[in-house]
Amino acid sequence: MKQIFAIAALAAASLSAAPAAAEVTAKSDVGFAVRHQAEIKATPDEVWARLSAPNTYWDPQYSFTGNAANFFLDLQAGGCFCERIREAKGGEIRNSGSVQHMQVVYVEPPKVLRMVGALGPLQSEGVTGTLSIGLKAVTGGTQVTFEYVVGGFMRYPTDDIAPAVDKVIGQQVDRLAKLFDGKAAAPAATAAGKSPAKPAGASQPALAKPAPAKPKALKPDADKPAPK
């Protein structure tokens, strides 16, 4: 079974959603951070309700089954952003497995959702990823921020993987916005090399340079996890 993790083109500019701010905010040999921000013309409660149902906006391209209906999210600490693997047997659809994409570590409706997990082809690497999603009421709607921070050992050069993951995260923000206005927000041009402010109490670890490798694409085969 293959996991589909293609780099998708982002949608056109929206008339009713503010343009998303897109950026690779930090990058080193063994890690990177990406950040996307958009304004949605809906209340934080309305956006939260959609955010908590990934089957309504998370692109099925970035699944193991190719079917968004198999996504589900248990919205509590320790809960799972998971995907059911189903198969037809004897005229019935039965669960035959599952995949954990991320695990919930912090929930504060309708303000903050934080999950940890290595998405897509990063799942087979020695990395961890933290996706922090913030909702803030602003005039006329809600400001939504997605920030995904990845670090650890991986066989993908960050110069290749960081921009690709940046586009994928941005696409999910756009698809979330599209649920409310029918059109996705257009991201700004990616800017690399900037470092975000450190969270309180955070320290900058020393980073070692991994052996060079080049991924063929963001479509690893689940049966052949090692990138070529």
Side-chain angles (χ1 to χ4, degrees), residues 15-204:
L15 297 178
S16 56
E23 196 172 23
V24 177
T25 58
K27 186 173 59 175
S28 73
D29 289 336
V30 292
F32 60 90
V34 303
R35 187 174 188 267
H36 284 258
Q37 193 171 77
E39 290 187 10
I40 298 176
K41 289 194 174 181
T43 68
D45 283 329
E46 291 171 331
V47 177
W48 184 269
R50 288 292 195 172
L51 183 67
S52 61
N55 59 308
T56 65
Y57 72 92
W58 202 271
D59 197 323
Q61 288 189 90
Y62 313 130
S63 69
F64 284 82
T65 62
N67 186 352
N70 290 328
F71 288 131
F72 66 93
L73 174 60
D74 182 11
L75 205 59
Q76 60 180 328
C80 188
F81 169 22
C82 289
E83 178 184 354
R84 298 179 181 89
I85 297 175
R86 298 175 175 179
E87 61 182 350
K89 283 187 176 181
E92 298 181 355
I93 302 297
R94 300 179 182 178
N95 290 337
S96 60
S98 61
V99 180
Q100 176 176 286
H101 291 273
M102 309 194 87
Q103 184 179 44
V104 177
V105 294
Y106 179 19
V107 182
E108 186 181 352
K111 298 177 180 179
V112 180
L113 172 61
R114 181 170 295 126
M115 300 182 286
V116 296
L119 293 169
L122 297 175
Q123 188 183 77
S124 62
E125 304 303 299
V127 300
T128 185
T130 301
L131 177 63
S132 297
I133 304 173
L135 276 59
K136 179 182 178 181
V138 295
T139 301
T142 301
Q143 183 184 77
V144 179
T145 303
F146 277 52
E147 187 170 40
Y148 189 45
V149 182
V150 175
F153 178 81
M154 59 184 143
R155 293 164 289 181
Y156 295 102
T158 53
D159 284 345
D160 294 334
I161 197 73
V165 172
D166 178 55
K167 290 183 180 181
V168 170
I169 295 297
Q171 187 183 23
Q172 310 321 307
V173 178
D174 286 348
R175 287 172 64 89
L176 179 63
K178 190 175 180 180
L179 294 177
F180 296 93
D181 55 42
K183 297 180 181 179
T190 296
K194 293 186 179 180
S195 296
K198 294 181 183 178
S203 59
Q204 183 68 33

